[in-house]
Amino acid sequence: MSASKLQGSGEVRIAHSLHKKEEEFVVKRRETVFQSLQKLNIPCSQNKVPHIALLGSGGGQRAMVGLLGSLVQLDKAGLLDCILYLSGVSGSTWCMASLYQEPDWSTKLETVKDKIIKRLCGPAVSWADALAKLNKYYNERDFFSLTDFWAAMVITTYVKEIDEHTLTDKRSQLGKDPFPIYTVNDKQSKQEKGGDPWFEITPYEAGYSLTGAFVDTSSFGSQFDNGSKKKQQPEMDMLYLQALCGGALAGEDGVGLIWGKMQDFFKQSSPKTETNTSEEMKEDLTGGNRQLIFPTEKLNVADKEAAKLYMKQYTEDVCNDLSLFSFGPLGICFSVSTCMAQWIWGRNYNFLHRMTDESVPSALLKTEMRDFEDAGLLLNSPYISVLRKERNLDLIISLDFSEGDPFMTVREAAEKCKKLNIAFPEVNIPSEDLKKPKDFYVFKGQNTPTVIHIPLFNVVNCGDEVEASMNKYSTFQDPYSTEMITDLMEVAGKNISNNREKLKEQFAAVVG
């Protein structure tokens, strides 16, 4: 298929160029950036406007709140309108999803911020509503995975809403805000040699950043054959997108929390007294009582492989007559347990299936389906997607909300870019900063974009309490209280307000 293939919603686009609508957006946004630089008294001509991207790392609700606090201060500092792209991984995408609910959110950020905080501090989504949403996911698409379960039963507990809008709903609203780029990784490509795991999703198209293979976002997840759409699937909504991007527990450490959520789900779906034998369960099923009853005390298995094996053996033993599992909560329970046994996350049709194109890695063309997961399991910041040559970045502001080593992500980005022959500055961290990070780092190189790295917790805003702050705001704890949200936003905001002049200096340095 040629690179000039039309960008219809039912066709695959093989090309490294940006989507024509993104190109049009960039032209308009550059005018906004130009005017903002003028207000900051930074000399710049209209043909020398720098391309600046703001990146939010993963980190669960810590990243969600931290990104919000950072953006609020960028707005107050008069710097937000200098940003061309806003891209996130994992928890940062939760913040992005909330912001882009509001058209032109950057023009009324204080009001939007208050609305988001009020929701996060409000009541949780009811169990009935979450279950209804899970049932909808189960019935409306060809593939069901732990991402559907994660969206309805876990993401809702953090974001406190069920957002059924879609990314393509936002196309007409892309006016005065930075261009949003959500990121995930292709699990099979991450494990295969010669694949392309870097996957981006924008309001216009979704696809492989480095390969240059895309499909209209409304058709991502639909069934394709040799580059043309064969069967439409419902477009993923924003709740599912947040789960797809923010499902870090798809990694090796996630089984404990998943088991706990599954226990709650099975108990709620099966109010009867628990039984322990498959014979008793079969009696319940064949006797007309079609409530699925799992021996949930056995689900607390620490070892992931042992847990998967147990669930696989259990479901195979019990579920000889699969026809019993084709409806309602019973079918969902069986599907969840099957996905758990096989550890299936983010399964969708592969829009590159059976294409013939030498520019696309052969591994991407063979399988009918692909599994997608949290990009943070590959690199906890969306560097690779924004560093596509066609985006012509001059400056990256990396807000790092990672847990643990505050420099690991930027170092890994440098290493991966070197292997991929992507221009990236050398990253050298003073040894004395490894345990006592400062709040502002600048990395420069010849013919590379400038990278500004800002660790969330540092000696400037936390003093000697850096480690204590990290422990207080862990990634997957219960939803933060109002006080925790307010305090964390203040901590994140200081990283911007304390460095306003340094940011301006770097903006000026990359002009032209």
Side-chain angles (χ1 to χ4, degrees):
M1 183 173 294
S2 70
S4 61
K5 190 74 177 179
L6 294 176
Q7 296 175 322
S9 62
E11 297 172 334
V12 174
R13 185 175 80 93
I14 305 296
H16 287 284
S17 60
L18 299 180
H19 189 283
K20 61 183 180 181
K21 290 295 184 181
E22 182 178 339
E23 291 178 342
E24 293 171 4
F25 175 90
V26 169
V27 172
K28 293 179 181 178
R29 182 67 182 176
R30 280 171 58 90
E31 179 60 31
T32 300
V33 176
F34 172 73
Q35 294 175 3
S36 181
L37 292 172
Q38 297 293 100
K39 292 178 182 177
L40 293 168
N41 296 317
I42 296 176
C44 178
S45 60
Q46 287 186 312
N47 65 338
K48 300 293 185 180
V49 174
H51 287 195
I52 302 174
L54 182 70
L55 310 188
S57 78
Q61 54 187 332
R62 181 182 60 254
M64 180 185 188
V65 176
L67 179 55
L68 182 60
S70 302
L71 288 167
V72 168
Q73 286 303 317
L74 279 168
D75 184 39
K76 291 181 178 179
L79 303 176
L80 183 55
D81 280 343
C82 295
I83 306 302
L84 176 60
Y85 289 104
L86 175 58
S87 185
V89 163
S90 199
S92 285
T93 65
W94 303 353
C95 178
M96 291 170 60
S98 292
L99 290 170
Y100 285 92
Q101 287 181 15
E102 300 283 345
D104 299 331
W105 57 264
S106 60
T107 66
K108 49 187 175 183
L109 187 50
E110 192 66 25
T111 300
V112 173
K113 178 260 295 183
D114 290 342
K115 183 177 179 181
I116 293 173
I117 292 178
K118 182 178 180 181
R119 168 165 51 83
L120 295 181
C121 298
V125 172
S126 72
W127 181 268
D129 287 345
L131 186 58
K133 183 60 180 174
L134 182 61
N135 190 60
K136 185 176 180 181
Y137 282 147
Y138 175 75
N139 287 300
E140 70 180 1
R141 289 191 296 226
D142 288 357
F143 292 120
F144 182 87
S145 73
L146 289 175
T147 302
D148 298 275
F149 180 84
W150 183 251
M153 313 310 294
V154 181
I155 297 296
T156 54
T157 66
Y158 292 118
V159 302
K160 306 287 185 70
E161 67 174 349
I162 296 175
D163 186 354
E164 295 189 314
H165 295 93
T166 66
L167 259 185
T168 57
D169 291 339
K170 314 301 179 186
R171 288 175 176 175
S172 61
Q173 301 175 7
L174 288 176
K176 299 179 180 179
D177 305 318
F179 189 82
I181 305 173
Y182 298 80
T183 56
V184 295
N185 84 74
D186 180 315
K187 181 179 179 179
Q188 285 93 338
S189 285
K190 186 178 71 171
Q191 298 171 342
E192 298 165 347
K193 289 185 177 181
D196 177 7
W198 312 101
F199 198 91
E200 62 182 66
I201 306 170
T202 78
Y204 295 117
E205 62 183 0
Y208 295 90
S209 301
L210 300 184
T211 295
F214 305 96
V215 70
D216 190 278
T217 301
S218 64
S219 295
F220 172 58
S222 292
Q223 187 177 19
F224 280 73
D225 185 72
N226 194 24
S228 295
K229 186 158 58 177
K230 181 179 178 182
K231 180 181 180 183
Q232 177 70 37
Q233 295 284 290
E235 181 182 351
M236 62 181 174
D237 60 23
M238 294 305 294
L239 177 62
Y240 181 87
L241 178 62
Q242 290 175 85
L244 193 69
C245 294
L249 293 191
E252 295 299 315
D253 301 325
V255 69
L257 181 56
I258 293 292
W259 281 135
K261 294 296 181 181
M262 286 179 66
Q263 282 181 284
D264 292 340
F265 175 68
F266 291 141
K267 288 176 180 178
Q268 291 280 351
S269 301
S270 306
K272 282 194 61 174
T273 303
E274 296 175 1
T275 63
N276 289 325
T277 67
S278 57
E279 288 301 319
E280 289 173 323
M281 185 180 292
K282 286 178 181 177
E283 285 185 17
D284 284 331
L285 292 171
T286 56
N289 178 7
R290 298 195 172 191
Q291 294 285 351
L292 184 59
I293 307 163
F294 277 89
T296 55
E297 75 278 0
K298 291 186 179 181
L299 296 182
N300 288 317
V301 183
D303 179 71
K304 174 184 169 184
E305 293 305 318
K308 288 164 59 178
L309 180 61
Y310 167 73
M311 182 60 83
K312 183 175 185 296
Q313 292 175 338
Y314 191 85
T315 53
E316 286 179 352
D317 180 41
V318 173
C319 308
N320 292 324
D321 184 359
L322 298 186
S323 64
L324 294 173
F325 294 90
S326 61
F327 59 90
L330 187 60
I332 296 175
C333 287
F334 174 68
S335 293
V336 170
S337 64
T338 300
C339 291
M340 188 63 156
Q342 300 177 28
W343 207 239
I344 299 171
W345 290 79
R347 180 155 293 178
N348 280 276
Y349 281 116
N350 175 19
F351 62 82
L352 295 172
H353 180 51
R354 292 203 329 122
M355 286 187 67
T356 54
D357 195 299
E358 294 181 357
S359 66
V360 179
S362 59
L364 292 178
L365 306 174
K366 298 176 181 178
T367 59
E368 185 179 9
M369 63 195 73
R370 308 295 291 184
D371 295 343
F372 298 93
E373 59 185 19
D374 191 318
L377 297 172
L378 187 60
L379 179 63
N380 202 33
S381 191
Y383 282 103
I384 305 301
S385 292
V386 298
L387 283 170
R388 282 174 58 188
K389 290 181 180 179
E390 301 75 34
R391 291 192 167 121
N392 297 313
L393 281 192
D394 300 293
L395 175 64
I396 292 173
I397 305 171
S398 170
L399 303 176
D400 200 312
F401 311 113
S402 303
E403 194 168 62
D405 184 349
F407 302 107
M408 181 174 67
T409 296
V410 69
R411 284 196 302 245
E412 288 185 349
E415 293 171 3
K416 291 182 185 298
C417 284
K418 186 176 182 179
K419 292 178 180 178
L420 295 167
N421 292 317
I422 296 174
F424 199 88
E426 189 174 347
V427 174
N428 292 309
I429 311 295
S431 58
E432 62 270 21
D433 289 14
L434 296 178
K435 291 188 177 180
K436 294 183 177 181
K438 297 183 177 66
D439 63 346
F440 198 85
Y441 295 85
V442 180
F443 305 108
K444 295 186 177 185
Q446 188 172 6
N447 298 320
T448 74
T450 296
V451 174
I452 296 174
H453 180 74
I454 301 178
L456 173 59
F457 299 121
N458 52 74
V459 294
V460 178
N461 61 17
C462 295
D464 295 329
E465 302 296 319
V466 173
E467 186 173 351
S469 297
M470 289 183 179
N471 293 334
K472 179 180 179 181
Y473 294 98
S474 61
T475 303
F476 288 109
Q477 63 188 68
D478 291 337
Y480 293 165
S481 66
T482 303
E483 180 182 0
M484 290 177 70
I485 291 173
T486 302
D487 290 348
L488 183 56
M489 284 193 60
E490 182 179 352
V491 169
K494 285 181 179 179
N495 290 330
I496 303 300
S497 58
N498 290 343
N499 293 292
R500 181 178 185 271
E501 295 306 313
K502 292 181 181 178
L503 285 165
K504 284 180 58 179
E505 289 175 9
Q506 296 306 318
F507 287 7
V510 297
V511 168

